[in-house]
């Protein structure tokens, strides 16, 4: 089934009419970034706009997420669009008039764009609600940037109830504005964190044999952990173990009795992911036993690998073909080791996540994410809205056909 051409044309033209307003909203959110779990002002801004448009929404007592529903008929299928809202704890280095006004906080990952695009879809689709092929739910998600991920909270609070498919996007400075990146199967890695403490015994630095050197033990453990990927995991299954933090010691002439280490693990294979914590603890334990030290190991599972549904990718590609043309479609081919908690939605309902190109050298928007100079080409917002709207409508139409069969 295909969306009627006249309806498709109306939706695309409506996006263009809303584009300038969505850009202003994006700039407002960018100027007022909020950290994970603190998205109160963003929540209030969205609510004020939804109220003005007469779009019903649901709020929650334990977080700042929102669920807005564009309902044509409660008996029709519902397809979801997700936009995340949180910013990062880092300063912005920008001369843009909409640069962050909050010291030490900025939208360095593009969630201001994701929220604005999702809101734009809500406004556009609501204007054409009676002509829609189904219902559309807009999930405004908090706390994507933290390990536990706001998607878990939204799922627990019913964001996917009655949802037959879901779509999301992420701005991508490695593709030019006017391009989108798609990926069949696993697109992004799982994202876990770990930590371990080494307990030794203090002694004078000149008499190391009287102590147990926690620094040395930690160094041996770190070195050995780095060999897990290269020697104990099939090289055809990518994995990353990275130590990002180490602390210990009080003085240069004292044998250290305590060191703490923390890091991240990324994989794109669930069975490999399950084995790594055991391999890590076995390695640390063996070294500590050999050196007469004690240890405490911690491992926290974050979002799983993000695995797209093939047919939903087909829907995104077809929508992308309508919006950016065949030349604008980029097969990403290989997964990346970054994590994304949109993966949790995809464990429960079929859906697709795609990359929205934002690189425009003249506008300075080719800077990588999590950089103090990161910014988004506003021209890409309309592209994202159009593809998400068309994808949601097509998925709803197909779900209705299955429902009626």
């Amino acid at each position: 089934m295909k969306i009627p051409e006249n309806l498709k044309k109306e939706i695309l033209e409506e996006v263009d009419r809303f584009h300038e307003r969505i850009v202003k909203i994006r700039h407002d959110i960018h100027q007022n970034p909020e950290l994970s779990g603190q998205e109160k002002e963003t929540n209030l801004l969205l609510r004020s706009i939804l109220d003005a448009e007469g779009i019903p929404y649901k709020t929650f007592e334990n977080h700042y997420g929102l669920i807005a529903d564009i309902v044509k008929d409660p008996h029709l299928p519902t397809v979801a669009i997700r936009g995340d809202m949180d910013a990062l704890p880092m300063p912005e280095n920008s001369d843009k008039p909409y640069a962050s006004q909050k010291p030490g906080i900025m939208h360095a990952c593009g969630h201001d764009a994701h929220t604005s695009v999702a809101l734009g879809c809500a406004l556009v689709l609501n204007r054409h609600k009676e002509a829609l092929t189904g219902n559309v739910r807009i999930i405004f998600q908090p706390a994507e940037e933290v390990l536990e991920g706001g998607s878990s909270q939204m799922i627990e609070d019913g964001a996917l109830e009655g949802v037959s498919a879901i779509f999301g996007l992420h701005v991508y400075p490695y593709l030019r504005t006017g391009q989108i990146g798609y990926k069949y199967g696993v697109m992004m890695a799982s994202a876990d964190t770990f930590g371990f403490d080494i307990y030794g015994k203090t002694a004078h630095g000149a008499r190391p044999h009287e102590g147990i050197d926690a620094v040395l033990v930690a160094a041996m453990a770190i070195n050995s952990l780095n060999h897990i990927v290269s020697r104990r995991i099939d090289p055809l299954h990518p994995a990353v173990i990275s130590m990002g933090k180490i602390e210990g010691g009080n003085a240069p002439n004292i044998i250290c009795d305590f060191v703490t280490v923390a890091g991240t693990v990324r994989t794109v294979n669930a069975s490999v992911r399950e084995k790594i914590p055991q391999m890590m603890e076995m390695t640390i334990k063996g070294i500590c036993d050999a050196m007469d030290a004690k240890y405490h190991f911690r491992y926290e599972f974050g979002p799983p690998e993000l695995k797209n549904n093939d047919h939903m990718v087909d829907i995104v590609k077809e929508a992308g073909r309508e919006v950016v043309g065949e030349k604008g479609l980029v097969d990403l081919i290989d997964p990346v080791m970054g994590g994304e908690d949109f993966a949790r939605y995809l464990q429960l309902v079929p859906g697709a996540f795609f990359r929205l190109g934002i690189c425009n050298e003249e506008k300075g928007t080719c800077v990588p994410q999590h950089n103090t100079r990161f910014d988004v080409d506003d021209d890409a917002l309309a592209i994202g809205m159009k593809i998400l709207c068309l994808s949601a409508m097509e998925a709803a139409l197909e779900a209705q056909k299955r429902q009626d069969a």
Side-chain angles (χ1 to χ4, degrees):
M1 291 180 83
K2 297 294 180 183
I3 306 167
E5 288 298 322
N6 62 326
L7 176 58
K8 189 186 304 179
K9 184 173 181 290
E10 290 175 10
I11 294 296
L12 297 181
E13 290 176 349
E14 193 74 76
V15 169
D16 289 333
R17 287 191 287 271
F18 267 101
H19 181 237
E20 185 176 347
R21 182 181 177 190
I22 295 304
V23 168
K24 291 179 180 178
I25 292 169
R26 203 278 287 190
H27 291 180
D28 190 358
I29 295 173
H30 191 90
Q31 280 185 304
N32 299 280
E34 296 174 294
L35 296 177
S36 303
Q38 301 175 25
E39 305 92 346
K40 181 178 180 179
E41 295 304 318
T42 306
N43 172 288
L44 292 174
L45 173 65
L46 295 173
R47 288 165 61 179
S48 68
I49 297 169
L50 294 171
D51 282 334
E53 293 288 328
I55 300 174
Y57 57 83
K58 184 179 180 181
T59 61
F60 306 93
E61 293 183 359
N62 59 328
H63 59 79
Y64 291 112
L66 286 171
I67 295 174
D69 281 308
I70 315 298
V71 181
K72 176 184 178 179
D73 182 337
H75 299 101
L76 291 176
T78 297
V79 173
I81 292 170
R82 177 271 218 164
D84 40 1
M85 303 190 294
D86 51 333
L88 288 162
M90 57 188 294
E92 181 163 4
N93 178 20
S94 170
D95 59 0
K96 300 286 177 66
Y98 51 85
S100 171
Q101 296 179 352
K102 295 186 178 180
I105 306 176
M106 77 166 287
H107 272 291
C109 204
H111 295 186
D112 54 331
H114 304 167
T115 296
S116 302
V117 165
L119 177 64
C121 289
L123 302 183
V124 168
L125 295 174
N126 187 59
R127 292 287 176 95
H128 298 269
K129 180 169 62 176
E130 295 309 316
L132 292 183
T133 55
N135 308 316
V136 179
R137 173 168 297 165
I138 311 296
I139 300 171
F140 297 103
Q141 181 201 305
E144 191 279 332
E145 292 288 355
V146 293
L147 178 69
E148 55 272 21
S151 60
S152 294
Q153 293 176 303
M154 298 304 289
I155 290 168
E156 289 171 6
D157 286 330
L160 294 183
E161 289 180 5
V163 169
S164 60
I166 187 168
F167 297 94
L169 58 73
H170 205 299
V171 293
Y172 204 52
Y174 304 102
L175 293 176
R176 304 194 69 79
T177 302
Q179 294 180 312
I180 67 162
Y182 66 90
K183 173 75 173 68
Y184 288 99
V186 177
M187 184 179 196
M188 301 180 71
S190 57
D192 304 334
T193 62
F194 68 87
F196 62 91
D197 304 323
I198 303 296
Y199 300 92
K201 185 172 72 172
T202 57
H204 196 289
R207 302 179 66 83
H209 59 288
E210 295 179 353
I212 299 172
D213 191 345
V215 168
L216 176 60
V217 175
M220 294 171 68
I222 290 171
N223 184 53
S224 296
L225 289 172
N226 276 308
H227 291 296
I228 289 176
V229 171
S230 65
R231 288 297 177 267
R232 300 187 64 190
I233 293 175
D234 186 337
L236 296 178
H237 298 297
V240 172
I241 299 175
S242 294
M243 267 62 66
K245 178 182 178 182
I246 179 169
E247 296 178 353
N250 296 304
N253 62 343
I254 300 175
I255 296 298
C256 173
D257 67 340
F258 178 78
V259 172
T260 185
V261 180
T264 186
V265 173
R266 308 296 173 102
T267 70
V268 294
N269 181 290
S271 62
V272 170
R273 184 190 192 196
E274 291 174 3
K275 295 173 184 175
I276 283 181
Q278 291 177 307
M279 293 180 182
M280 292 180 69
E281 184 163 15
M282 186 186 306
T283 298
I284 296 166
K285 181 180 186 301
I287 290 169
C288 286
D289 287 347
M291 299 297 290
D292 202 25
K294 305 295 183 184
Y295 76 94
H296 175 62
F297 178 71
R298 307 173 293 282
Y299 196 97
E300 293 185 74
F301 288 96
E305 65 272 17
L306 188 153
K307 187 174 183 179
N308 283 324
N309 175 277
D310 286 354
H311 182 60
M312 295 300 155
V313 175
D314 286 337
I315 289 176
V316 168
K317 282 180 63 180
E318 183 58 35
R321 202 171 278 117
E322 293 274 353
V323 177
V324 299
E326 192 69 39
K327 291 183 178 179
L329 302 179
V330 179
D331 186 347
L332 299 177
I333 302 174
D334 296 319
V336 298
M337 303 310 285
E340 166 60 64
D341 77 353
F342 188 82
R344 292 195 176 99
Y345 299 116
L346 295 179
Q347 287 184 310
L348 300 173
V349 297
F353 196 68
F354 67 94
R355 300 288 196 176
L356 178 66
I358 58 167
C359 175
N360 184 321
E361 292 175 354
E362 292 182 0
K363 296 181 180 180
T365 59
C366 302
V367 179
Q369 286 122 326
H370 294 217
N371 184 293
T372 59
R373 296 184 297 109
F374 177 81
D375 195 13
V376 171
D377 181 359
D378 289 320
D379 289 342
L381 301 182
I383 296 172
M385 284 189 283
K386 290 176 180 179
I387 294 173
L388 284 176
C389 285
L390 294 183
S391 297
M393 291 166 63
E394 178 62 29
L397 192 61
E398 291 187 3
Q400 181 187 355
K401 182 180 180 182
R402 292 192 299 271
Q403 184 174 293
D404 292 342

